[in-house]
PDB file of all heavy atoms in Angstrom:
ATOM      1  N   TYR A  35     -20.278  11.380 -33.338  1.00 94.00           N
ATOM      2  CA  TYR A  35     -20.509  12.004 -32.049  1.00 94.00           C
ATOM      3  C   TYR A  35     -21.875  12.655 -32.081  1.00 94.00           C
ATOM      4  O   TYR A  35     -22.351  13.078 -33.136  1.00 94.00           O
ATOM      5  CB  TYR A  35     -19.438  13.064 -31.762  1.00 94.00           C
ATOM      6  CG  TYR A  35     -18.078  12.470 -31.514  1.00 94.00           C
ATOM      7  CD1 TYR A  35     -17.223  12.168 -32.571  1.00 94.00           C
ATOM      8  CD2 TYR A  35     -17.643  12.193 -30.229  1.00 94.00           C
ATOM      9  CE1 TYR A  35     -15.977  11.611 -32.344  1.00 94.00           C
ATOM     10  CE2 TYR A  35     -16.399  11.636 -29.993  1.00 94.00           C
ATOM     11  CZ  TYR A  35     -15.576  11.345 -31.055  1.00 94.00           C
ATOM     12  OH  TYR A  35     -14.348  10.784 -30.827  1.00 94.00           O
ATOM     13  N   THR A  36     -22.497  12.744 -30.930  1.00 94.00           N
ATOM     14  CA  THR A  36     -23.784  13.421 -30.831  1.00 94.00           C
ATOM     15  C   THR A  36     -23.543  14.858 -30.382  1.00 94.00           C
ATOM     16  O   THR A  36     -22.430  15.224 -30.004  1.00 94.00           O
ATOM     17  CB  THR A  36     -24.703  12.709 -29.817  1.00 94.00           C
ATOM     18  OG1 THR A  36     -24.037  12.644 -28.561  1.00 94.00           O
ATOM     19  CG2 THR A  36     -25.049  11.316 -30.304  1.00 94.00           C
ATOM     20  N   SER A  37     -24.578  15.670 -30.416  1.00 92.00           N
ATOM     21  CA  SER A  37     -24.435  17.080 -30.034  1.00 92.00           C
ATOM     22  C   SER A  37     -24.042  17.227 -28.567  1.00 92.00           C
ATOM     23  O   SER A  37     -23.462  18.238 -28.191  1.00 92.00           O
ATOM     24  CB  SER A  37     -25.727  17.839 -30.320  1.00 92.00           C
ATOM     25  OG  SER A  37     -26.799  17.248 -29.615  1.00 92.00           O
ATOM     26  N   ASP A  38     -24.317  16.206 -27.739  1.00 93.00           N
ATOM     27  CA  ASP A  38     -23.884  16.251 -26.343  1.00 93.00           C
ATOM     28  C   ASP A  38     -22.533  15.546 -26.145  1.00 93.00           C
ATOM     29  O   ASP A  38     -22.168  15.159 -25.042  1.00 93.00           O
ATOM     30  CB  ASP A  38     -24.949  15.703 -25.403  1.00 93.00           C
ATOM     31  CG  ASP A  38     -25.432  14.315 -25.771  1.00 93.00           C
ATOM     32  OD1 ASP A  38     -25.029  13.798 -26.824  1.00 93.00           O
ATOM     33  OD2 ASP A  38     -26.219  13.744 -25.000  1.00 93.00           O
ATOM     34  N   LEU A  57     -30.198  11.618 -40.989  1.00 93.00           N
ATOM     35  CA  LEU A  57     -29.401  12.216 -39.914  1.00 93.00           C
ATOM     36  C   LEU A  57     -28.104  12.812 -40.455  1.00 93.00           C
ATOM     37  O   LEU A  57     -27.675  13.883 -40.030  1.00 93.00           O
ATOM     38  CB  LEU A  57     -29.075  11.175 -38.844  1.00 93.00           C
ATOM     39  CG  LEU A  57     -30.095  10.966 -37.741  1.00 93.00           C
ATOM     40  CD1 LEU A  57     -29.651   9.823 -36.833  1.00 93.00           C
ATOM     41  CD2 LEU A  57     -30.289  12.237 -36.930  1.00 93.00           C
ATOM     42  N   LEU A  58     -27.477  12.110 -41.393  1.00 92.00           N
ATOM     43  CA  LEU A  58     -26.245  12.615 -41.992  1.00 92.00           C
ATOM     44  C   LEU A  58     -26.493  13.887 -42.795  1.00 92.00           C
ATOM     45  O   LEU A  58     -25.695  14.830 -42.756  1.00 92.00           O
ATOM     46  CB  LEU A  58     -25.594  11.539 -42.869  1.00 92.00           C
ATOM     47  CG  LEU A  58     -25.013  10.347 -42.111  1.00 92.00           C
ATOM     48  CD1 LEU A  58     -24.568   9.265 -43.086  1.00 92.00           C
ATOM     49  CD2 LEU A  58     -23.871  10.772 -41.216  1.00 92.00           C
ATOM     50  N   LYS A  59     -27.616  13.953 -43.519  1.00 92.00           N
ATOM     51  CA  LYS A  59     -27.963  15.172 -44.264  1.00 92.00           C
ATOM     52  C   LYS A  59     -28.208  16.336 -43.314  1.00 92.00           C
ATOM     53  O   LYS A  59     -27.757  17.462 -43.555  1.00 92.00           O
ATOM     54  CB  LYS A  59     -29.208  14.934 -45.123  1.00 92.00           C
ATOM     55  CG  LYS A  59     -28.967  14.082 -46.340  1.00 92.00           C
ATOM     56  CD  LYS A  59     -30.260  13.853 -47.090  1.00 92.00           C
ATOM     57  CE  LYS A  59     -30.103  12.766 -48.124  1.00 92.00           C
ATOM     58  NZ  LYS A  59     -31.381  12.409 -48.756  1.00 92.00           N
ATOM     59  N   MET A  60     -28.907  16.066 -42.215  1.00 93.00           N
ATOM     60  CA  MET A  60     -29.169  17.103 -41.218  1.00 93.00           C
ATOM     61  C   MET A  60     -27.859  17.589 -40.598  1.00 93.00           C
ATOM     62  O   MET A  60     -27.687  18.784 -40.342  1.00 93.00           O
ATOM     63  CB  MET A  60     -30.112  16.572 -40.142  1.00 93.00           C
ATOM     64  CG  MET A  60     -31.525  16.332 -40.631  1.00 93.00           C
ATOM     65  SD  MET A  60     -32.548  15.427 -39.457  1.00 93.00           S
ATOM     66  CE  MET A  60     -32.550  16.508 -38.055  1.00 93.00           C
ATOM     67  N   SER A  61     -26.939  16.668 -40.380  1.00 92.00           N
ATOM     68  CA  SER A  61     -25.632  17.025 -39.824  1.00 92.00           C
ATOM     69  C   SER A  61     -24.874  17.951 -40.769  1.00 92.00           C
ATOM     70  O   SER A  61     -24.285  18.941 -40.354  1.00 92.00           O
ATOM     71  CB  SER A  61     -24.817  15.757 -39.566  1.00 92.00           C
ATOM     72  OG  SER A  61     -23.508  16.086 -39.185  1.00 92.00           O
ATOM     73  N   GLU A  62     -24.903  17.618 -42.053  1.00 90.00           N
ATOM     74  CA  GLU A  62     -24.217  18.459 -43.041  1.00 90.00           C
ATOM     75  C   GLU A  62     -24.831  19.848 -43.094  1.00 90.00           C
ATOM     76  O   GLU A  62     -24.127  20.851 -43.167  1.00 90.00           O
ATOM     77  CB  GLU A  62     -24.266  17.807 -44.419  1.00 90.00           C
ATOM     78  CG  GLU A  62     -23.516  18.586 -45.468  1.00 90.00           C
ATOM     79  CD  GLU A  62     -23.575  17.948 -46.846  1.00 90.00           C
ATOM     80  OE1 GLU A  62     -24.217  16.883 -46.992  1.00 90.00           O
ATOM     81  OE2 GLU A  62     -22.984  18.521 -47.762  1.00 90.00           O
ATOM     82  N   ASP A  63     -26.175  19.928 -43.036  1.00 91.00           N
ATOM     83  CA  ASP A  63     -26.857  21.225 -43.065  1.00 91.00           C
ATOM     84  C   ASP A  63     -26.500  22.065 -41.845  1.00 91.00           C
ATOM     85  O   ASP A  63     -26.296  23.276 -41.949  1.00 91.00           O
ATOM     86  CB  ASP A  63     -28.372  21.042 -43.122  1.00 91.00           C
ATOM     87  CG  ASP A  63     -28.843  20.480 -44.448  1.00 91.00           C
ATOM     88  OD1 ASP A  63     -28.062  20.505 -45.426  1.00 91.00           O
ATOM     89  OD2 ASP A  63     -29.996  19.994 -44.501  1.00 91.00           O
ATOM     90  N   GLU A  64     -26.428  21.423 -40.682  1.00 89.00           N
ATOM     91  CA  GLU A  64     -26.198  22.162 -39.442  1.00 89.00           C
ATOM     92  C   GLU A  64     -24.728  22.461 -39.177  1.00 89.00           C
ATOM     93  O   GLU A  64     -24.376  23.553 -38.772  1.00 89.00           O
ATOM     94  CB  GLU A  64     -26.782  21.394 -38.250  1.00 89.00           C
ATOM     95  CG  GLU A  64     -26.756  22.199 -36.975  1.00 89.00           C
ATOM     96  CD  GLU A  64     -27.656  21.637 -35.910  1.00 89.00           C
ATOM     97  OE1 GLU A  64     -28.661  20.983 -36.234  1.00 89.00           O
ATOM     98  OE2 GLU A  64     -27.344  21.868 -34.739  1.00 89.00           O
ATOM     99  N   PHE A  65     -23.863  21.482 -39.398  1.00 84.00           N
ATOM    100  CA  PHE A  65     -22.455  21.623 -39.032  1.00 84.00           C
ATOM    101  C   PHE A  65     -21.509  21.702 -40.228  1.00 84.00           C
ATOM    102  O   PHE A  65     -20.326  21.967 -40.053  1.00 84.00           O
ATOM    103  CB  PHE A  65     -22.011  20.453 -38.147  1.00 84.00           C
ATOM    104  CG  PHE A  65     -22.839  20.268 -36.908  1.00 84.00           C
ATOM    105  CD1 PHE A  65     -23.600  19.126 -36.740  1.00 84.00           C
ATOM    106  CD2 PHE A  65     -22.860  21.231 -35.923  1.00 84.00           C
ATOM    107  CE1 PHE A  65     -24.356  18.942 -35.594  1.00 84.00           C
ATOM    108  CE2 PHE A  65     -23.613  21.066 -34.777  1.00 84.00           C
ATOM    109  CZ  PHE A  65     -24.371  19.925 -34.615  1.00 84.00           C
ATOM    110  N   GLY A  66     -21.979  21.424 -41.422  1.00 85.00           N
ATOM    111  CA  GLY A  66     -21.114  21.368 -42.587  1.00 85.00           C
ATOM    112  C   GLY A  66     -20.362  20.051 -42.615  1.00 85.00           C
ATOM    113  O   GLY A  66     -20.536  19.195 -41.763  1.00 85.00           O
ATOM    114  N   LEU A  67     -19.511  19.892 -43.621  1.00 81.00           N
ATOM    115  CA  LEU A  67     -18.717  18.673 -43.723  1.00 81.00           C
ATOM    116  C   LEU A  67     -17.576  18.725 -42.723  1.00 81.00           C
ATOM    117  O   LEU A  67     -16.998  19.788 -42.491  1.00 81.00           O
ATOM    118  CB  LEU A  67     -18.159  18.524 -45.139  1.00 81.00           C
ATOM    119  CG  LEU A  67     -19.208  18.300 -46.231  1.00 81.00           C
ATOM    120  CD1 LEU A  67     -18.547  18.317 -47.598  1.00 81.00           C
ATOM    121  CD2 LEU A  67     -19.932  16.994 -46.010  1.00 81.00           C
ATOM    122  N   PRO A  68     -17.240  17.588 -42.108  1.00 79.00           N
ATOM    123  CA  PRO A  68     -16.135  17.600 -41.144  1.00 79.00           C
ATOM    124  C   PRO A  68     -14.818  17.898 -41.845  1.00 79.00           C
ATOM    125  O   PRO A  68     -14.598  17.498 -42.981  1.00 79.00           O
ATOM    126  CB  PRO A  68     -16.141  16.196 -40.545  1.00 79.00           C
ATOM    127  CG  PRO A  68     -16.939  15.359 -41.471  1.00 79.00           C
ATOM    128  CD  PRO A  68     -17.837  16.272 -42.253  1.00 79.00           C
ATOM    129  N   ALA A  69     -13.932  18.608 -41.160  1.00 73.00           N
ATOM    130  CA  ALA A  69     -12.604  18.903 -41.698  1.00 73.00           C
ATOM    131  C   ALA A  69     -11.822  17.606 -41.829  1.00 73.00           C
ATOM    132  O   ALA A  69     -12.294  16.540 -41.425  1.00 73.00           O
ATOM    133  CB  ALA A  69     -11.879  19.874 -40.781  1.00 73.00           C
ATOM    134  N   ARG A  73     -14.466  15.775 -36.413  1.00 86.00           N
ATOM    135  CA  ARG A  73     -15.446  14.786 -35.974  1.00 86.00           C
ATOM    136  C   ARG A  73     -16.698  14.873 -36.831  1.00 86.00           C
ATOM    137  O   ARG A  73     -17.092  15.944 -37.272  1.00 86.00           O
ATOM    138  CB  ARG A  73     -15.878  15.067 -34.543  1.00 86.00           C
ATOM    139  CG  ARG A  73     -14.819  14.937 -33.527  1.00 86.00           C
ATOM    140  CD  ARG A  73     -15.404  15.358 -32.206  1.00 86.00           C
ATOM    141  NE  ARG A  73     -14.572  14.943 -31.100  1.00 86.00           N
ATOM    142  CZ  ARG A  73     -14.948  15.011 -29.850  1.00 86.00           C
ATOM    143  NH1 ARG A  73     -16.133  15.501 -29.524  1.00 86.00           N
ATOM    144  NH2 ARG A  73     -14.146  14.614 -28.891  1.00 86.00           N
ATOM    145  N   LEU A  74     -17.346  13.749 -36.993  1.00 91.00           N
ATOM    146  CA  LEU A  74     -18.654  13.720 -37.626  1.00 91.00           C
ATOM    147  C   LEU A  74     -19.672  13.805 -36.493  1.00 91.00           C
ATOM    148  O   LEU A  74     -19.819  12.867 -35.711  1.00 91.00           O
ATOM    149  CB  LEU A  74     -18.836  12.431 -38.431  1.00 91.00           C
ATOM    150  CG  LEU A  74     -20.178  12.227 -39.102  1.00 91.00           C
ATOM    151  CD1 LEU A  74     -20.491  13.397 -40.033  1.00 91.00           C
ATOM    152  CD2 LEU A  74     -20.184  10.933 -39.872  1.00 91.00           C
ATOM    153  N   THR A  75     -20.321  14.961 -36.379  1.00 92.00           N
ATOM    154  CA  THR A  75     -21.263  15.202 -35.291  1.00 92.00           C
ATOM    155  C   THR A  75     -22.677  15.184 -35.836  1.00 92.00           C
ATOM    156  O   THR A  75     -22.979  15.866 -36.814  1.00 92.00           O
ATOM    157  CB  THR A  75     -20.984  16.558 -34.616  1.00 92.00           C
ATOM    158  OG1 THR A  75     -19.626  16.576 -34.169  1.00 92.00           O
ATOM    159  CG2 THR A  75     -21.900  16.784 -33.436  1.00 92.00           C
ATOM    160  N   LEU A  76     -23.539  14.404 -35.192  1.00 93.00           N
ATOM    161  CA  LEU A  76     -24.942  14.334 -35.588  1.00 93.00           C
ATOM    162  C   LEU A  76     -25.756  15.311 -34.744  1.00 93.00           C
ATOM    163  O   LEU A  76     -25.469  15.497 -33.564  1.00 93.00           O
ATOM    164  CB  LEU A  76     -25.470  12.913 -35.402  1.00 93.00           C
ATOM    165  CG  LEU A  76     -24.770  11.838 -36.232  1.00 93.00           C
ATOM    166  CD1 LEU A  76     -25.361  10.462 -35.917  1.00 93.00           C
ATOM    167  CD2 LEU A  76     -24.888  12.127 -37.712  1.00 93.00           C
ATOM    168  N   PRO A  77     -26.781  15.927 -35.318  1.00 93.00           N
ATOM    169  CA  PRO A  77     -27.562  16.938 -34.606  1.00 93.00           C
ATOM    170  C   PRO A  77     -28.648  16.325 -33.714  1.00 93.00           C
ATOM    171  O   PRO A  77     -29.831  16.614 -33.848  1.00 93.00           O
ATOM    172  CB  PRO A  77     -28.178  17.759 -35.741  1.00 93.00           C
ATOM    173  CG  PRO A  77     -28.370  16.751 -36.823  1.00 93.00           C
ATOM    174  CD  PRO A  77     -27.184  15.824 -36.721  1.00 93.00           C
ATOM    175  N   CYS A  78     -28.235  15.463 -32.813  1.00 94.00           N
ATOM    176  CA  CYS A  78     -29.164  14.839 -31.867  1.00 94.00           C
ATOM    177  C   CYS A  78     -28.394  14.480 -30.613  1.00 94.00           C
ATOM    178  O   CYS A  78     -27.169  14.457 -30.618  1.00 94.00           O
ATOM    179  CB  CYS A  78     -29.815  13.601 -32.484  1.00 94.00           C
ATOM    180  SG  CYS A  78     -28.638  12.317 -32.952  1.00 94.00           S
TER     181      CYS A  78
END
Side-chain angles (χ1 to χ4, degrees):
Y35 291 85
T36 56
S37 58
D38 54 354
L57 273 176
L58 291 172
K59 286 178 193 173
M60 291 169 61
S61 173
E62 183 181 0
D63 291 344
E64 188 164 332
F65 304 115
L67 294 174
R73 295 176 165 190
L74 177 57
T75 304
L76 299 178
C78 61

